[in-house]
Amino acid sequence: MKKFRIMGLFVGILLLTNCSDYLNVVPDGAATLENAFSNRTNLEKFFYGCYNYLPNYAHPFNYPGHIGGDEIWFDVDNGMGNRSGGRIAQGQQNSNDPYHNYWDGANDGKRMWIGIRDCNIFLENVDQVPDLPEWERTRWKAEVKFLKAYFHFFLLQLYGPIPIMDTNIGVSASPEEVRIYREPVDDVIEYIVTLLDEATKDLPVIIEEMTTETGRATKATALAVKAKALVWAASPLFNGSYVYYRDFKDKRGVQLIANNDDPEVIRARWQRAAVATRNAIDTAHLAGHQLFEFQRGFEVMSDTTALKYTLRGCVTERFTYNREVIWACTNSNNEFQNWCTPKMYTNYPGTAELSATLKIAEMYYTRNGIPIDEDPYWDYETRYETRVDTGTWHKFYIGAGETTAKLNYYREPRFYAHLGFDRGIYELLANSDEEALVIKQRSGEVHGLVFQDCHPSTGYFIKKAVSFRIPTTTTGPTPYRFSIPIIRLPDLYLLYAEALNESLDTPDDEVYRWVDIVRTRAGLDGVLRSWEFSLVPDKPTYKEGMREIIKRERLIELSCEGQRSFDLRRWRDAERYFNEPVRGWDFQGAKLEDYYQTRVYFSNRQFTYKDYLWPLRLSTLMVNANLVQNPGW
Amino acid sequence: MVKGYRSEDRSNMYAQFEARQDLDFFLKGLSARALFNINRYSLLPVRRQIVPFFYTLAVTSDPNSYILNPINTDGTDYLDFVPSTKSLESTMYFEGAVSYNNVFAEKHTVSGLLVYTIRELLDGNTDNFQLSLPHRNLGLAGRLTYSYDSRYFLETNFGYNGSERFHSSQRWGFFPSAGAGWIISNEKFMEPVGGIISKLKLKATYGLVGNDAIGRDEDRFYYMSQLNMNDGGRGYDLGDDFGFHSNGISIQRYADPDITWEISRKSNYGLELNLWNSLEIQFDYFRERRSNILQERVSIPTTMGLQVTPRANIGKAKGSGFEMSVDYNKAFTTDLWIVARGNFTYAASKYDVFEEPDYTKVPWRFHVGQKLSQNFGYIAERLFIDDEEVLNSPLQTFGEYGAGDIKYKDINGDMSIDENDQVPVGFPTTPEIIYGFGISAGYKNFDISFFFQGSARSSFWINAGSTAPFIGNRAMLQYYGDSHWTEDNRDLYALWPRLSENAMPNNQVTSTWFMRDGSFLRLKTAEIGYTIPLNFVRKIKMQNVRLYISGNNLAVWAPFKMWDPEMGDNGLAYPLQRVFNFGINIEF
C-alpha cells in the first residue's frame, strides 16, 4: 500500500491549499489611498501634489496667457504654430477638440478638475493624520482651500460659468449624480471669495522659511486672488453689460452670466472690488512686499542701466531680492525664458523665436510718458523710417553710431528694459556698459535669421522674460531660473486704480496716486503732469479718458507676463485688438532698407464675441448633457 | 561588421512526480491519479560590444579632399558591457484527478472525470509590486459522458474556477456546458450506403465559458486601487532658489471590487461527413453571446476629476458564423497520390451594450449594433478646388486647411465638420472571412505542394501621418509623387492632397479618403521536390535523398496595389519577406 501513502501526500497538499486563501495573492498592507493619510510624510507629498496642478506659467506650450493673444508672435512654420497657443493665435480655436483644453486636460491643458478633486480628498482626510502638529494642519488646510479656490478661478477665467466642486462625487456614483450643471459666474465668484476668506484667516502673513517655502500661499496671496476674482465680477465681460450673454441660460433656465446692466449695480461691483484690492495691497505692504529696485553691487553702471535692471528685475529676479512678487509658480522652469533668449551662443540649437509684435513696441510710451500718437514732441508719422544714433540720450539704449527705426528712439525706459531690438543694447550683468551687447538681427547677422537655428519673427525680443544674470561665455544657453509672477504689486495697484476710477464719476487724486507710483518707478512723471504736454491734455480728468490711461499703463507694465490676453478679454477689448494684423519688421531682410519694412505676418483672425470664452469640447457635452455650450460655439 | 559578442546561458529545470492508483477494488472502473511538477527557467544573457563612431562626409572647395564630421559622441571603440534583460521564472503545477469508466450491458458506456488543478507562476523580472505577486489559478473541472451503442452521445461538463484577479466576492465562476451527438452512420438503416458514407455525425453543444484575462497585465487586481506614492511628475518645487522639492502621489487605478469574469455563452451545431473514406467534410455553425465585457466608463464626465477612467463589466456583444473544412486524401496508385485541403471561416460580431455618450441627436455615432472592430471616420468627398470653395463650405475643425485639402461631408448639416460627423466607415479592421486551400500531390519521384491563404471583408487605412512626405525629412512615395494635388494640376481625386512641409491634421483624421479594401489572396508556400531513386541512393549508403525548392510568400493578389496589404497602414515599414529555399534532405 505504498501507493496509498503517496496519494495521501497529494491529498495533504490539496488540503493545505485552502482554496480562497490561496488566491489571495495580494498581501495585506499594499498601498491604498489610505496610506496617503497614514502619516505626515505621506500627507506632505499629497499636499504638494495639490500645488502641482497649478498651470505651468513658464511654458509657452502650456500657459494660455502667453501665446494665443496679440502680444507675442512666433515662427508659424517652426513648431510653435502647431501648438495650442499658436493655433489659437491663428484663429483656429474650435469646439471639436479645443486648444488649451483645461476642462478635459487635452491639447496642452491640464485637467483642472483633477487638482480640485485632490484638494477635496486632502480636506476630507487631513484630520485623520495622527502625527501632524495642529498649527501645520491648520495652515495646510488653508493652503489647500486657497488652491481649490484658485483652480476654480482659473477655470472661470477661461470658461465663465463652471460647476462648483465643493465636495467630491464618489467614483461609483450613478450617471444622474455625476451629470452636474454649470453654475452662474456670480455664484462661482461668491464661492471663490468665501473659500478664500476661510483660507485667509489661517494663512501666514509672511513666509518665514524662505529657502524651502517661498511659493506657498500667504494671506496677501489669497487676498490678491480674491481681489482679482472680484475685479472679474465687475469687469465688462461678466458684469451684466454684455448683450451676447443676455440669454445665456442652461437647461434648468438658470441665467449663467449676469444680465443686469444697471449702472448702479455695476458701480457696486466695482466698489466691492476696490475694497478687496485695497485690503490685498495693505496686507501685502504689511507683509513687507514693496516695489523692486535693483541694488548695484560692485558693478559700475550708469543710472539708466540700473533703471533698466529695476524694470526687468521686478519680473526676472528671485524672491530674496524681489519683494514685489506676491505669488509665483515656483514649479515653473525655464522654457519660456529659453524660447525668448536671442541667439547669443556659438552652439545653440535653440529657437529664440518668441517676439513681441510691432503693436506692443508701439504701445509703450514716449520718453514723456504718453502714447506715441499723443506726444507732439515725438514724430509719429515717420516712425517707420530709420535714423542714425547721434545723440547722447540713447547712449545706454542703442549701439553708438548704429542705425535703427525711429520707432525705437525717445521711448520710455520700460520700452528699453522690456524689449530687445535690432541695434538696441541687450544689457546683461556679465557685460559692462562699455562693452554692452548690441543686438544685430537683420537676416544673416549674429542674432538674426539663421535657417533651422534662429527665427526672430518680428524683430522685438522679449527681454523681460530673460534674466540679466545669464552668462555670455558659455557655448549654449545657461538660463537663470526665476518664476514668472502670477501676481506682483503693480498688478494690484493698477487694479485698485481701475476699480476706484470705475466706482467714481470723475477720477480723484487717489486714482492718480496709484498709477503714479507705478509710473514713478518706471522713471516717468505722474499722469496729470505728463498729459499736460500731450495733444489731449484733459484726458486724465474724465472717467473714460482715465480708464484708457489705466488700461494702457497696465498693458505696458504687465506686458509679456501672461496677463494681457486675460485683461483684454475681461475688458471686452479683445475683438478690437486681436483682429488687427500681426506686424513686425521684415526679419528676412538683410539690408537696412529691406529689414525696416513693416510686414504683416498674419491677418484676418476673426476673433468674435464667442471667442471671449473657451469652447467646451463636443464630446464633453455629449457625456454630460446637463452642460451647455458657451455662446456662439 | 562585427560589433561585439552576445552569449546566452539558459537553463530549464523540470521535476515531475506522478502517481496513479487503480481503485477497482472500491468501484470497478474507478481510478485516481495525481501529478505535481515544478519548472524553473533562467536566462542569463551577456552582451559585450563596441559602439562605433559615425561620421558624415562633407565636401570642401578642394575636390580631392573632404572633411569628416562626427555624428555621435557616445561611441566606445573598446569592448564595453551592455546590460541585458535577465529572466527567472518558476512554475508549480498540481493536478489531481479521479476518473471513472465503465461499460454496462455492452452498450451503455458511462464515464466521469473530476480534475482539480493548481497552477502558480512566479516571475522574477518584474519591477512593480503588483506584477511581482504570484500568478495563481485554481480550478475544479468535471465531465460526465454517456453513450449508447456508439450511436447516441451525451456529455456534460463543468468548470468551477477561481481567479486571483478578482475580489473574494467575485472570485469564483461556475461554467457548465452540455452537448449531444448522433453518429447516424452507425445506425442499421445506413448500412446499405456504408461504402459511400463512411461517417456521418451530427452534434450540438451549449455552454458557458469564463475569461479572467481581461484588461492589461499591469491591471491585474481591479479590486485594488493602485497608487504611485512617490510620483516625480506630481511634485512641486519651492523656495527662493528652488532648493526644495517634494514628489507627489498619483492614483493609477481606482478600486472596484465588482469587477468579475467575462462570460460568453457559446452554442455550436456541427456536421461531420466522410465519403468513400477519403473526403472528409466538417461544418460548424456557432453563436456566441458575450457579456460582462470590460469597458471604460466613458459616461463619467471630466468634471469628476478622476485621474484615470475606471472600467467596469458593462459591455455586451454577440457573434455568429460558420466554419467549414474539406480534406481529401487519396492514393490512386503507388505512384500517384494527392492530398487536398481547404478551410473557410466566416465570423461576424456586433455590440449589444456599449457604454457611450448620449448620441441620440447623432445616432450614426452609436457603437451599439455595430461590429466590434468597426472604425468610425469622416466621409471624404474630394479635394477642395480652391480657397473660395473652402470659404463656401462647412467649416472643418481639424486645423488649417485650404485648396487641395480633403473636403468632408457634413452629415448633420450644421455647417461644421466635427466629431458629430463621424460615421461607421468600411468593414471591420479584422477580416470577417478567412480562408485557405492547398494541394500536395506526388507522382513517382516528384512531389509538388502549394498553399494559398486569403481574407476578405476587412478595411484598413493608409497611415497618412507616417507616410506623409517631407515630415521629418521623409522622402516621397512614388505613388504620392505620381498623383497629388497641385496648383497647376488640380486633380480633385488625387491620391495625395496638397503637399505640405508640416503635418496636416485636416488630412490625417480617419476618413474614407485613405480607407482601402484589406482583402487579399496569397500564395503562401509552394514546394517542388524530387526524391532520388532508391537503387541509386543505396549505392552511396544512404536511405533517402530528396532535393527540393520551396518558397514562402510568393505572390499576392489584392485590390490594393501600393504595398502588401498585410503590412497594414504604413507602407514604409519593414515589409513581409519573400523567401526561397533550396534544400537537400538526406537520411542515412
Side-chain angles (χ1 to χ4, degrees):
Chain A
M1 285 287 102
K2 198 186 247 171
K3 281 180 185 166
F4 260 125
R5 259 181 248 157
I6 294 165
M7 284 312 286
L9 182 73
F10 279 123
V11 172
I13 292 174
L14 203 146
L15 291 176
L16 279 173
T17 54
N18 177 326
C19 301
S20 256
D21 282 354
Y22 183 72
L23 292 174
N24 249 339
V25 291
V26 182
D28 289 343
T32 63
L33 197 52
E34 281 79 56
N35 290 83
F37 304 99
S38 59
N39 62 41
R40 187 189 170 280
T41 312
N42 285 340
L43 180 73
E44 189 179 21
K45 285 187 221 155
F46 200 92
F47 171 69
Y48 288 118
C50 293
Y51 269 99
N52 172 278
Y53 253 77
L54 285 170
N56 188 350
Y57 289 86
H59 207 306
F61 289 171
N62 296 346
Y63 191 63
H66 294 306
I67 301 176
D70 61 340
E71 186 171 39
I72 296 176
W73 200 244
F74 45 89
D75 182 350
V76 273
D77 298 323
N78 193 36
M80 191 62 82
N82 288 327
R83 305 304 301 219
S84 276
R87 295 282 187 189
I88 293 174
Q90 294 172 82
Q92 295 174 16
Q93 182 61 291
N94 68 84
S95 58
N96 198 38
D97 192 6
Y99 296 112
H100 277 151
N101 185 347
Y102 275 82
W103 189 292
D104 307 298
N107 283 336
D108 299 325
K110 282 182 177 179
R111 189 186 294 181
M112 272 299 151
W113 303 110
I114 297 177
I116 293 173
R117 188 179 186 92
D118 281 2
C119 290
N120 284 331
I121 293 176
F122 181 92
L123 293 171
E124 283 163 16
N125 292 287
V126 62
D127 287 331
Q128 73 191 45
V129 180
D131 58 342
L132 188 67
E134 214 43 50
W135 65 268
E136 200 167 33
R137 192 188 311 269
T138 314
R139 180 176 171 201
W140 285 10
K141 264 162 108 169
E143 285 180 61
V144 171
K145 278 182 193 168
F146 162 78
L147 288 170
K148 183 172 153 186
Y150 185 77
F151 295 149
H152 277 96
F153 177 56
F154 187 78
L155 283 168
L156 176 108
Q157 289 179 60
L158 298 180
Y159 294 96
I162 54 163
I164 295 173
M165 295 300 274
D166 189 42
T167 50
N168 280 343
I169 302 171
V171 177
S172 51
S174 72
E176 286 69 35
E177 286 174 83
V178 299
R179 287 188 196 134
I180 52 175
Y181 289 88
R182 301 174 73 178
E183 301 299 336
V185 163
D186 282 338
D187 291 6
V188 179
I189 288 176
E190 224 47 61
Y191 172 73
I192 291 168
V193 166
T194 314
L195 205 53
L196 287 172
D197 284 341
E198 266 177 51
T200 307
K201 74 180 182 337
D202 295 327
L203 285 171
V205 178
I206 52 164
I207 299 286
E208 281 175 15
E209 298 291 330
M210 291 191 67
T211 48
T212 57
E213 293 184 355
T214 296
R216 284 170 61 178
T218 62
K219 278 195 197 322
T221 324
L223 290 172
V225 171
K226 174 183 168 183
K228 275 211 154 180
L230 287 170
V231 166
W232 271 79
S235 296
L237 189 66
F238 290 154
N239 68 10
S241 64
Y242 198 30
V243 288
Y244 286 107
Y245 297 154
R246 202 121 291 177
D247 298 312
F248 183 20
K249 292 188 170 68
D250 71 5
K251 289 171 184 168
R252 299 169 296 183
V254 173
Q255 182 73 27
L256 290 179
I257 297 178
N259 62 358
N260 180 358
D261 60 354
D262 177 353
E264 283 315 308
V265 174
I266 292 174
R267 187 195 297 268
R269 287 172 182 263
W270 280 114
Q271 279 164 347
R272 189 174 174 206
V275 171
T277 315
R278 184 62 198 257
N279 192 8
I281 293 172
D282 290 344
T283 310
H285 286 165
L286 203 68
H289 290 289
Q290 58 186 31
L291 288 185
F292 170 72
E293 194 182 334
F294 178 73
Q295 302 296 325
R296 268 177 265 195
F298 297 108
E299 301 92 347
V300 177
M301 65 178 73
S302 64
D303 290 346
T304 310
T305 307
L307 178 60
K308 282 199 283 179
Y309 287 143
T310 295
L311 296 174
R312 181 161 150 208
C314 61
V315 170
T316 67
E317 286 289 85
R318 294 181 184 169
F319 296 85
T320 331
Y321 316 108
N322 185 4
R323 301 295 297 134
E324 176 171 331
V325 177
I326 293 171
W327 189 36
C329 176
T330 42
N331 206 38
S332 303
N333 220 311
N334 301 313
E335 294 85 357
F336 190 54
Q337 178 169 207
N338 287 347
W339 277 78
C340 293
T341 310
K343 185 181 181 296
M344 297 189 283
Y345 307 93
T346 49
N347 173 22
Y348 184 27
T351 38
E353 68 169 69
L354 294 186
S355 335
T357 54
L358 189 65
K359 136 177 17 176
I360 296 302
E362 294 185 315
M363 169 186 76
Y364 284 90
Y365 294 140
T366 67
R367 62 170 169 171
N368 300 317
I370 47 181
I372 54 175
D373 53 348
E374 292 175 19
D375 188 342
Y377 305 100
W378 199 85
D379 191 355
Y380 182 75
E381 294 308 322
T382 63
R383 65 191 185 282
Y384 299 143
E385 293 169 11
T386 55
R387 58 162 276 194
V388 181
D389 173 41
T390 49
T392 52
W393 196 86
H394 291 99
K395 187 173 174 202
F396 303 106
Y397 292 146
I398 294 175
E402 297 283 6
T403 306
T404 183
K406 284 188 177 172
L407 183 66
N408 301 335
Y409 284 89
Y410 298 115
R411 305 298 298 277
E412 62 163 320
R414 281 182 297 196
F415 174 83
Y416 299 103
H418 293 175
L419 301 178
F421 53 88
D422 177 47
R423 267 55 186 177
I425 286 172
Y426 204 100
E427 62 281 358
L428 295 171
L429 274 187
N431 300 330
S432 68
D433 278 348
E434 283 65 42
E435 54 201 18
L437 176 72
V438 176
I439 292 290
K440 295 186 172 159
Q441 60 161 326
R442 295 169 205 161
S443 178
E445 288 185 330
V446 54
H447 308 115
L449 171 71
V450 180
F451 181 63
Q452 283 193 339
D453 214 11
C454 184
H455 307 253
S457 51
T458 65
Y460 287 98
F461 288 125
I462 302 165
K463 231 191 248 178
K464 198 189 198 178
V466 181
S467 171
F468 46 74
R469 293 186 186 277
I470 55 171
T472 52
T473 48
T474 51
T475 52
T478 314
Y480 178 84
R481 182 171 171 182
F482 63 89
S483 308
I484 293 183
I486 302 172
I487 299 172
R488 59 187 179 99
L489 272 181
D491 186 352
L492 290 182
Y493 293 168
L494 294 168
L495 283 183
Y496 185 50
E498 182 185 345
L500 272 185
N501 184 51
E502 297 296 337
S503 23
L504 297 168
D505 290 326
T506 42
D508 62 9
D509 283 349
E510 190 69 0
V511 177
Y512 303 134
R513 187 185 140 211
W514 291 97
V515 182
D516 289 351
I517 293 175
V518 178
R519 292 174 65 90
T520 309
R521 202 261 302 257
L524 299 174
D525 281 335
V527 170
L528 289 174
R529 190 171 157 70
S530 297
W531 256 269
E532 253 174 56
F533 305 99
S534 81
L535 297 171
V536 279
D538 65 336
K539 196 171 178 180
T541 59
Y542 59 98
K543 186 174 179 172
E544 290 73 22
M546 192 58 202
R547 177 188 295 152
E548 218 175 282
I549 290 171
I550 294 168
K551 281 182 180 178
R552 185 145 183 170
E553 194 66 49
R554 191 175 164 80
L555 294 178
I556 294 172
E557 177 64 30
L558 302 175
S559 69
C560 304
E561 291 177 48
Q563 302 269 6
R564 178 182 168 102
S565 57
F566 285 98
D567 281 330
L568 290 182
R569 287 197 299 115
R570 172 167 73 82
W571 293 327
R572 247 166 51 213
D573 287 342
E575 249 167 300
R576 193 176 108 211
Y577 287 100
F578 285 10
N579 288 328
E580 290 169 348
V582 175
R583 293 180 309 148
W585 301 119
D586 189 350
F587 66 90
Q588 294 182 324
K591 285 186 288 189
L592 180 76
E593 60 272 26
D594 294 334
Y595 181 84
Y596 286 105
Q597 298 292 325
T598 58
R599 285 273 170 269
V600 172
Y601 288 109
F602 184 77
S603 60
N604 204 13
R605 170 162 172 183
Q606 292 175 334
F607 186 101
T608 64
Y609 74 97
K610 68 173 194 219
D611 293 281
Y612 281 108
L613 294 178
W614 253 239
L616 265 67
R617 191 168 67 183
L618 282 180
S619 57
T620 303
L621 297 172
M622 294 255 179
V623 170
N624 179 0
N626 291 335
L627 298 175
V628 286
Q629 180 62 283
N630 276 330
W633 287 106
Chain B
M1 191 168 68
V2 176
K3 73 174 182 183
Y5 313 91
R6 181 190 161 95
S7 72
E8 276 185 10
D9 183 12
R10 198 189 295 260
S11 67
N12 205 343
M13 271 160 38
Y14 190 79
Q16 176 157 315
F17 193 60
E18 191 176 353
R20 289 168 188 277
Q21 174 67 52
D22 208 340
L23 297 170
D24 272 351
F25 56 88
F26 190 64
L27 177 69
K28 189 175 168 345
L30 191 69
S31 65
R33 69 187 157 82
L35 182 153
F36 180 77
N37 69 47
I38 284 180
N39 185 5
R40 207 173 171 83
Y41 167 83
S42 69
L43 171 70
L44 289 169
V46 177
R47 261 162 71 196
R48 299 178 195 90
Q49 67 171 58
I50 58 166
V51 177
F53 286 96
F54 295 104
Y55 298 88
T56 54
L57 207 59
V59 289
T60 62
S61 50
D62 176 6
N64 297 318
S65 166
Y66 58 84
I67 334 171
L68 288 177
N69 288 328
I71 294 176
N72 60 334
T73 55
D74 60 348
T76 56
D77 45 13
Y78 46 90
L79 273 186
D80 203 1
F81 169 74
V82 182
S84 343
T85 318
K86 300 158 190 73
S87 170
L88 186 63
E89 252 177 45
S90 167
T91 54
M92 188 275 281
Y93 180 70
F94 170 80
E95 183 184 297
V98 183
S99 67
Y100 174 74
N101 216 325
N102 209 347
V103 181
F104 299 95
E106 289 183 3
K107 284 185 175 174
H108 304 272
T109 311
V110 176
S111 77
L113 176 70
L114 266 180
V115 188
Y116 175 75
T117 52
I118 305 173
R119 192 191 306 271
E120 182 188 66
L121 167 72
L122 290 168
D123 187 350
N125 317 308
T126 54
D127 53 356
N128 107 22
F129 175 77
Q130 300 211 351
L131 285 178
S132 75
L133 295 168
H135 290 70
R136 285 178 182 167
N137 285 86
L138 210 59
L140 181 67
R143 172 188 293 166
L144 192 63
T145 67
Y146 167 75
S147 72
Y148 174 72
D149 196 21
S150 301
R151 284 184 285 157
Y152 307 105
F153 300 83
L154 281 176
E155 179 177 328
T156 58
N157 286 293
F158 79 91
Y160 185 62
N161 299 325
S163 171
E164 46 159 32
R165 303 181 63 149
F166 306 131
H167 186 255
S168 54
S169 63
Q170 305 288 345
R171 191 162 281 162
W172 292 89
F174 180 67
F175 307 107
S177 67
W182 180 26
I183 301 187
I184 303 171
S185 50
N186 286 352
E187 294 281 359
K188 282 220 167 58
F189 58 79
M190 292 293 283
E191 270 174 18
V193 289
I196 306 167
I197 302 174
S198 13
K199 183 182 170 194
L200 175 61
K201 182 179 178 183
L202 294 178
K203 59 187 179 183
T205 57
Y206 179 82
L208 265 57
V209 178
N211 175 19
D212 69 336
I214 54 176
R216 299 173 309 148
D217 205 26
E218 293 80 56
D219 286 332
R220 282 174 69 194
F221 306 111
Y222 277 104
Y223 66 91
M224 289 186 54
S225 57
Q226 189 173 356
L227 281 90
N228 184 345
M229 293 292 290
N230 206 11
D231 187 345
R234 282 299 309 274
Y236 204 73
D237 287 355
L238 286 164
D240 257 359
D241 295 315
F242 312 99
F244 177 85
H245 174 82
S246 168
N247 283 347
I249 291 175
S250 61
I251 300 170
Q252 289 157 346
R253 188 181 55 242
Y254 292 94
D256 185 350
D258 295 330
I259 301 276
T260 186
W261 293 85
E262 179 188 310
I263 294 171
S264 63
R265 291 172 172 75
K266 291 187 175 179
S267 50
N268 198 350
Y269 310 94
L271 171 89
E272 286 172 31
L273 176 66
N274 192 312
L275 300 172
W276 305 290
N277 266 325
S278 53
L279 178 67
E280 169 107 16
I281 299 170
Q282 292 204 13
F283 182 87
D284 281 288
Y285 170 76
F286 54 84
R287 285 169 56 151
E288 184 185 11
R289 297 181 87 87
R290 281 164 68 199
S291 55
N292 282 358
I293 301 173
L294 191 72
Q295 213 201 321
E296 270 202 354
R297 299 289 315 274
V298 294
S299 67
I300 296 180
T302 41
T303 45
M304 285 281 281
L306 301 186
Q307 297 183 24
V308 283
T309 313
R311 290 156 170 250
N313 297 99
I314 28 185
K316 279 189 180 152
K318 64 179 172 219
S320 62
F322 64 90
E323 206 174 336
M324 208 175 128
S325 69
V326 177
D327 277 79
Y328 185 70
N329 196 334
K330 181 125 182 148
F332 294 97
T333 66
T334 46
D335 279 344
L336 177 66
W337 54 269
I338 189 163
V339 175
R341 157 182 313 162
N343 60 62
F344 184 93
T345 307
Y346 171 83
S349 60
K350 79 176 193 191
Y351 276 114
D352 281 339
V353 176
F354 188 89
E355 181 161 309
E356 54 196 334
D358 181 9
Y359 288 138
T360 38
K361 282 185 194 146
V362 283
W364 49 85
R365 294 192 66 191
F366 279 117
H367 279 78
V368 169
Q370 296 292 343
K371 289 165 177 164
L372 260 60
S373 64
Q374 177 68 53
N375 242 348
F376 283 69
Y378 300 91
I379 295 185
E381 297 189 312
R382 52 179 171 75
L383 302 178
F384 281 111
I385 303 170
D386 50 25
D387 287 336
E388 181 147 354
E389 193 197 4
V390 171
L391 287 178
N392 293 323
S393 301
L395 179 74
Q396 308 194 165
T397 55
F398 317 111
E400 183 210 346
Y401 66 106
D405 289 327
I406 303 175
K407 176 179 165 63
Y408 298 107
K409 190 175 168 74
D410 185 12
I411 302 289
N412 59 354
D414 63 353
M415 291 311 281
S416 161
I417 310 291
D418 51 38
E419 268 194 1
N420 286 340
D421 296 303
Q422 291 181 46
V423 293
V425 285
F427 287 116
T429 49
T430 44
E432 290 185 325
I433 292 177
I434 293 176
Y435 58 95
F437 56 91
I439 292 178
S440 302
Y443 180 67
K444 292 195 170 162
N445 291 335
F446 289 95
D447 62 271
I448 182 167
S449 70
F450 53 85
F451 190 78
F452 288 90
Q453 71 179 37
S455 77
R457 290 178 67 82
S458 73
S459 294
F460 75 101
W461 276 257
I462 295 176
N463 189 330
S466 54
T467 59
F470 311 139
I471 312 295
N473 294 328
R474 192 182 294 133
M476 178 147 69
L477 278 169
Q478 184 66 46
Y479 290 102
Y480 295 164
D482 292 344
S483 174
H484 62 264
W485 188 95
T486 60
E487 287 282 348
D488 308 325
N489 177 20
R490 301 189 178 203
D491 181 356
L492 299 186
Y493 297 94
L495 173 61
W496 189 259
R498 177 171 64 99
L499 295 173
S500 168
E501 291 176 315
N502 301 321
M504 292 292 298
N506 181 72
N507 297 341
Q508 289 174 7
V509 293
T510 306
S511 77
T512 53
W513 193 261
F514 290 109
M515 182 174 84
R516 295 293 183 272
D517 186 345
S519 56
F520 65 88
L521 173 64
R522 175 189 307 284
L523 176 53
K524 186 72 183 168
T525 57
E527 183 167 327
I528 298 174
Y530 174 71
T531 309
I532 294 173
L534 273 180
N535 48 10
F536 177 74
V537 168
R538 290 220 172 107
K539 278 184 201 157
I540 50 171
K541 310 275 184 208
M542 290 180 190
Q543 292 284 322
N544 185 14
V545 177
R546 179 171 171 266
L547 307 171
Y548 67 91
I549 302 173
S550 73
N552 284 336
N553 189 21
L554 293 172
V556 60
W557 295 267
F560 179 73
K561 305 290 181 202
M562 285 166 61
W563 56 75
D564 189 330
E566 263 195 295
M567 283 171 66
D569 61 357
N570 185 358
L572 298 174
Y574 199 77
L576 288 183
Q577 290 156 292
R578 180 174 299 163
V579 179
F580 292 96
N581 299 306
F582 173 76
I584 307 177
N585 282 337
I586 301 173
E587 283 175 35
F588 292 97

